[in-house]
């Protein structure tokens, strides 16, 4: 391809709405162009990278025996009957000319399951894993970060169907290995992370997170054993405390005008960890008090999982609701004064002695509270993991909190969809059984932006060889010198003959502009045809290592 003929434009300035490096660079280097909020045009260079990522994903899926097909993106709304409430406004809904409710697919569990139900009847046809690569649609509240959170995005989604759990486990393992190979080939620095199954049920799930300081997800990571888990999921290990502490009698203390924990800390001359934190929730209409040490945070996902409710349905209790359980907002204490309420405590509370808590009365606290004074239904893992906690896997390393961009997710769904949609097969004994199911996603367009997030410098993008839009960029330094054009054309033709993907910058632009663009677009091998062209000498620059050397142009061609 010749740049003069390509639909291509670069920009010196990043778009005003761009916060992430990847968003800025992809727009500036002419890979994507905003069409409207959260919707992008893949320009010719961007499309080439996207196709390369798709092909790597496709190769690895095919290698483990997955079968590709393509589901419609526009479907009748009844396909999603099970989840129409869950999707709510995030689903694009429309009507056809006859008023029939339609939608744009946000994900395809139901569509695949219905197709499998129609086509598979016997255990002899199982297991099977189907996949597709294509557009998905979500009406994001706040589309942002370029391709990272867009309304229209490209995903690979795969769905596997099985006679039993053992078969599902096997395909899940294959998929995990395939995902590692894919992200390795994409040149991504990532961690597989134990994810939260939430109220979704299922028996296992892992996310693949690209390490990035601008990632939206927080991960608890152990550098000692490489354990990684979503902070919502990461188990906290508590060493039981063996200290013998003399328990003092509980006393009520007047604490007027103390609005903050800081004021109380000073008043009592104690530390934050000597206080009992009581957070009152309304969980689907049921009032729940969650307790933890004063310096800790309640992890609401853990609480929701314990209660068997969706984390979204947990709300802070109102002042009236707190009154209804016999207490006062800001002064909640977990003793027998509380009525009609479930009290659960973080396991670490068991190690507390002579602590302070609210007295269920305005402007009063209890001092020297001990476990015997509390009314707690159960002590469970309820707090958020923090930096420095002991690793729950190796029990040796200290947890670090890192950030990541989720680019893949694999999930054992069990019979959640197959049961609801009556997707069954006949087993060896002719008995009808519900299939086991797994689902496996990769954010293809998101992986593209994650890759730029990890591979760039102040001059622009630095593509890994595997997904660069072209392998070689040949630049004519001074287009007014015919000999430079001729040598460049010879290199271009010779490389094309060898099936090397080569781009020739033959634009009638200054050398400065072309050099800047060459570094901005990030093709890994740059060949500059300049002043020494009459002697057949050209300059070679490796964009990845930064190394520059002069070569006779035929030697450059031979390198590839
Ligand atoms: Zn560890």
């Amino acid at each position: 391809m010749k740049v003069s003929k390509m639909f291509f434009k670069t920009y010196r300035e990043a778009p005003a709405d761009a916060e992430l490096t990847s968003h800025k660079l992809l727009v500036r280097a002419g890979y994507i162009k905003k069409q409207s909020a959260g919707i992008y045009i893949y320009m010719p260079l961007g499309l080439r990278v996207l196709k390369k990522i798709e092909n790597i994903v496709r190769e690895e899926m095919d290698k483990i025996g997955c079968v590709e097909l393509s589901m419609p993106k526009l479907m009748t709304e009844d396909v999603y009957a099970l989840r129409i409430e869950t999707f709510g406004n995030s689903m694009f809904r429309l009507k056809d000319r006859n008023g029939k409710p339609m939608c744009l697919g946000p994900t395809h569990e139901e569509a695949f399951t219905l197709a499998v139900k129609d086509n598979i009847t016997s255990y002899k046809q199982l297991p099977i894993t189907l996949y597709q690569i294509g557009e998905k649609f979500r009406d994001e509240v706040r589309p942002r970060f370029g391709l990272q959170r867009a309304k229209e995005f490209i995903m690979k989604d795969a769905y596997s169907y099985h006679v039993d759990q053992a078969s599902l486990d096997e395909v899940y393992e294959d998929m995990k290995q395939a995902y590692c190979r894919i992200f390795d080939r994409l040149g991504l620095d990532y961690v597989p992370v134990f994810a939260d199954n939430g109220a979704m049920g299922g028996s296992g799930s892992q996310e693949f997170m690209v390490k990035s300081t601008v990632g939206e997800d927080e991960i608890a990571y152990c550098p000692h054993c490489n354990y990684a888990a979503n902070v919502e999921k990461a188990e906290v290990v508590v060493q039981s405390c063996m200290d013998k502490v003399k328990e003092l009698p509980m006393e009520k203390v007047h604490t007027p005008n103390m609005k903050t924990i800081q004021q109380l800390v000073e008043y009592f001359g104690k530390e934050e960890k000597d206080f009992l934190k009581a957070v009152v929730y309304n969980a689907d209409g049921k009032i729940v008090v969650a307790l933890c040490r004063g310096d800790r945070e309640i992890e609401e996902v853990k609480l929701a999982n314990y209660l068997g409710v969706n984390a979204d349905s947990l709300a802070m209790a109102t002042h009236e609701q707190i009154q209804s359980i016999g207490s006062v907002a800001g002064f909640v204490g977990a003793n027998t004064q509380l009525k009609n309420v479930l009290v659960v405590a973080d396991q670490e509370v068991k190690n507390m002695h002579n602590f302070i808590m609210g007295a269920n009365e305005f402007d009063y606290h209890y001092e020297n509270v001990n476990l015997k004074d509390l009314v707690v239904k159960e002590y469970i893992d309820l707090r958020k993991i923090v930096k420095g906690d002991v690793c729950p896997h190796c029990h040796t390393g200290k947890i670090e909190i890192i950030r990541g961009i989720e680019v893949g997710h694999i999930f054992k769904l069990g019979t959640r969809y197959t049961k609801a949609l009556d997707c069954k097969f006949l087993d060896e004994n002719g008995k009808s059984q519900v299939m086991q199911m797994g689902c496996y996603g990769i954010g293809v367009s998101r992986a593209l932006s994650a890759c730029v997030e990890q591979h760039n410098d102040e001059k622009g993008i630095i593509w890994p060889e595997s997904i660069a839009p072209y392998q070689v960029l040949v630049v004519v330094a001074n287009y007014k010198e015919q000999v430079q054009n001729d040598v460049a054309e010879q290199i271009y033709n010779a490389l094309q003959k060898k099936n090397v993907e080569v781009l020739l910058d033959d634009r009638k632009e200054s050398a400065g502009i072309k050099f800047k663009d060459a570094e901005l677009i990030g093709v890994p091998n740059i060949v500059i045809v300049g002043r020494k062209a009459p002697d057949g000498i050209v300059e070679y620059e490796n964009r990845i290592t930064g190394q520059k050397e002069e070569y006779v142009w035929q030697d450059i061609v031979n390198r590839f």
Side-chain angles (χ1 to χ4, degrees):
M1 175 59 70
K2 293 181 178 176
V3 179
S4 63
K5 303 277 188 294
M6 193 168 68
F7 187 49
F8 168 75
K9 185 176 178 280
T10 55
Y11 301 83
R12 292 291 152 245
E13 298 296 325
D17 64 341
E19 298 167 58
L20 300 195
T21 307
S22 55
H23 185 187
K24 290 176 186 167
L25 287 176
L26 285 168
V27 173
R28 281 192 51 215
Y31 284 82
I32 59 170
K33 191 156 174 49
K34 183 159 116 180
Q35 209 266 339
S36 65
I39 302 178
Y40 289 88
I41 305 169
Y42 291 96
M43 297 295 278
L45 284 179
L47 187 64
R48 284 184 75 94
V49 178
L50 192 71
K51 293 289 168 202
K52 291 203 168 180
I53 298 175
E54 286 182 13
N55 280 334
I56 288 174
V57 172
R58 186 172 284 118
E59 276 174 28
E60 296 296 341
M61 288 296 101
D62 292 350
K63 215 182 271 176
I64 58 166
C66 304
V67 183
E68 186 173 8
L69 56 73
S70 179
M71 282 287 167
K73 315 295 176 264
L74 174 66
M75 280 176 289
T76 54
E77 207 184 82
D78 56 8
V79 171
Y80 292 95
L82 286 179
R83 289 194 283 175
I84 210 89
E85 297 291 321
T86 319
F87 282 121
N89 288 333
S90 67
M91 186 190 249
F92 278 103
R93 295 151 96 164
L94 58 156
K95 290 202 164 66
D96 76 359
R97 61 170 67 206
N98 300 315
K100 195 177 173 86
M102 311 284 292
C103 65
L104 296 175
T107 162
H108 280 79
E109 281 81 358
E110 289 90 340
F112 274 88
T113 304
L114 291 169
V116 165
K117 178 184 171 177
D118 271 353
N119 288 284
I120 289 184
T121 50
S122 163
Y123 73 94
K124 292 173 202 156
Q125 296 161 288
L126 295 171
I128 189 159
T129 307
L130 304 173
Y131 78 98
Q132 64 174 351
I133 300 176
E135 289 82 5
K136 296 270 183 273
F137 301 87
R138 271 178 222 173
D139 197 354
E140 291 282 350
V141 181
R142 208 160 78 83
R144 58 191 191 280
F145 305 148
L147 298 182
Q148 220 168 104
R149 195 161 282 281
K151 289 185 174 180
E152 180 185 310
F153 52 97
I154 315 279
M155 264 191 79
K156 183 282 300 180
D157 47 333
Y159 306 88
S160 67
Y161 297 86
H162 312 267
V163 297
D164 57 21
Q165 175 82 38
S167 166
L168 169 59
D169 291 347
E170 216 170 283
V171 168
Y172 182 89
E173 273 312 308
D174 287 349
M175 202 55 91
K176 199 155 85 182
Q177 301 306 325
Y179 271 44
C180 290
R181 288 195 298 271
I182 289 167
F183 298 126
D184 285 341
R185 288 179 65 183
L186 297 182
L188 292 170
D189 181 15
Y190 66 95
V191 280
V193 164
F194 294 103
D196 170 53
N197 283 349
M200 287 271 288
S203 51
S205 115
Q206 272 191 312
E207 289 174 355
F208 291 78
M209 294 281 185
V210 170
K211 294 179 198 165
S212 166
T213 51
V214 296
E216 291 185 271
D217 295 278
E218 270 189 320
I219 304 155
Y221 176 69
C222 170
H224 190 258
C225 72
N226 282 330
Y227 164 89
N230 269 336
V231 286
E232 301 90 56
K233 171 94 177 181
E235 189 196 332
V236 176
V237 185
V238 176
Q239 264 90 11
S240 58
C241 175
M242 292 298 164
D243 306 349
K244 282 274 174 266
V245 178
K246 187 174 185 303
E247 292 188 354
L248 305 171
M250 186 167 95
E251 267 179 81
K252 196 154 121 184
V253 183
H254 192 207
T255 51
N257 304 317
M258 306 264 167
K259 297 274 178 259
T260 64
I261 182 78
Q262 213 41 54
Q263 288 171 315
L264 286 164
V265 163
E266 278 168 32
Y267 181 81
F268 283 98
K270 298 260 186 170
E271 290 175 65
E272 240 179 283
K273 68 179 175 58
D274 300 318
F275 285 76
L276 182 73
K277 188 185 273 184
V279 190
V280 190
Y281 291 95
N282 175 3
D284 274 345
K286 191 172 162 187
I287 307 300
V288 179
V289 177
L291 307 175
C292 65
R293 222 170 72 178
D295 57 334
R296 306 298 196 187
E297 296 292 331
I298 296 290
E299 178 50 68
E300 293 182 359
V301 172
K302 288 181 180 176
L303 178 64
N305 287 352
Y306 170 76
L307 297 171
V309 300
N310 202 309
D312 298 336
S313 63
L314 278 188
M316 288 294 166
T318 61
H319 285 208
E320 289 71 35
Q321 283 163 340
I322 294 172
Q323 266 169 22
S324 78
I325 61 165
S327 189
V328 181
F331 300 91
V332 178
N335 61 0
T336 50
Q337 288 168 289
L338 295 188
K339 302 289 176 230
N340 305 319
V341 67
L342 171 68
V343 182
V344 282
D346 179 60
Q347 51 194 352
E348 198 178 30
V349 172
K350 275 190 180 171
N351 288 345
M352 294 176 71
H353 303 280
N354 300 326
F355 49 93
I356 299 153
M357 72 175 186
N360 300 309
E361 201 177 314
F362 189 71
D363 275 351
Y364 281 94
H365 280 82
Y366 286 122
E367 195 176 20
N368 299 328
V369 186
N370 287 287
L371 292 198
K372 63 174 168 41
D373 304 312
L374 299 183
V375 179
V376 173
K377 167 113 191 291
E378 225 173 318
Y379 289 88
I380 55 168
D381 175 18
L382 206 53
R383 78 161 165 91
K384 197 176 199 151
I385 199 162
V386 292
K387 182 174 191 265
D389 272 333
V390 174
C391 168
H393 188 250
C394 67
H395 296 266
T396 308
K398 292 258 187 284
I399 288 296
E400 283 175 12
I401 306 294
I402 60 172
R403 301 191 77 88
I405 301 167
E406 183 192 334
V407 288
H409 197 169
I410 57 177
F411 207 117
K412 293 181 194 174
L413 287 167
T415 56
R416 177 177 148 86
Y417 292 93
T418 46
K419 200 169 174 185
L421 298 169
D422 204 32
C423 181
K424 292 179 173 167
F425 67 99
L426 290 178
D427 69 12
E428 282 174 75
N429 306 314
K431 206 177 140 228
S432 180
Q433 295 216 40
V434 177
M435 292 181 205
Q436 290 282 332
M437 179 180 174
C439 72
Y440 318 91
I442 287 182
V444 174
S445 42
R446 187 181 275 190
L448 190 159
S449 76
C451 194
V452 176
E453 207 56 59
Q454 283 191 337
H455 299 276
N456 68 74
D457 63 12
E458 68 291 346
K459 295 172 190 161
I461 302 170
I462 307 171
W463 291 109
E465 299 261 2
S466 59
I467 57 169
Y470 290 91
Q471 294 310 302
V472 185
L473 170 63
V474 181
V475 182
V476 180
N478 184 353
Y479 66 91
K480 288 171 187 156
E481 295 283 342
Q482 193 48 44
V483 62
Q484 293 189 17
N485 287 303
D486 292 344
V487 170
E489 189 89 18
Q490 279 175 299
I491 299 171
Y492 176 69
N493 290 333
L495 286 173
Q496 278 203 319
K497 212 169 277 173
K498 294 181 80 173
N499 283 327
V500 175
E501 297 168 301
V502 55
L503 186 64
L504 172 62
D505 194 350
D506 58 341
R507 289 176 299 171
K508 293 188 166 35
E509 296 284 357
S510 75
I513 285 178
K514 290 197 270 192
F515 294 162
K516 274 215 170 75
D517 281 351
E519 284 173 326
L520 179 62
I521 66 174
V523 168
N525 303 289
I526 304 170
V527 177
I528 295 165
V529 184
R531 220 167 281 140
K532 292 184 181 170
D535 307 321
I537 307 255
V538 296
E539 190 182 274
Y540 166 80
E541 181 186 342
N542 186 310
R543 181 74 178 96
I544 299 170
T545 61
Q547 161 219 13
K548 289 180 189 180
E549 274 174 273
E550 286 190 340
Y551 284 98
V552 177
W553 73 262
Q554 287 89 346
D555 288 346
I556 286 282
V557 173
N558 291 335
R559 278 176 70 115
F560 294 98

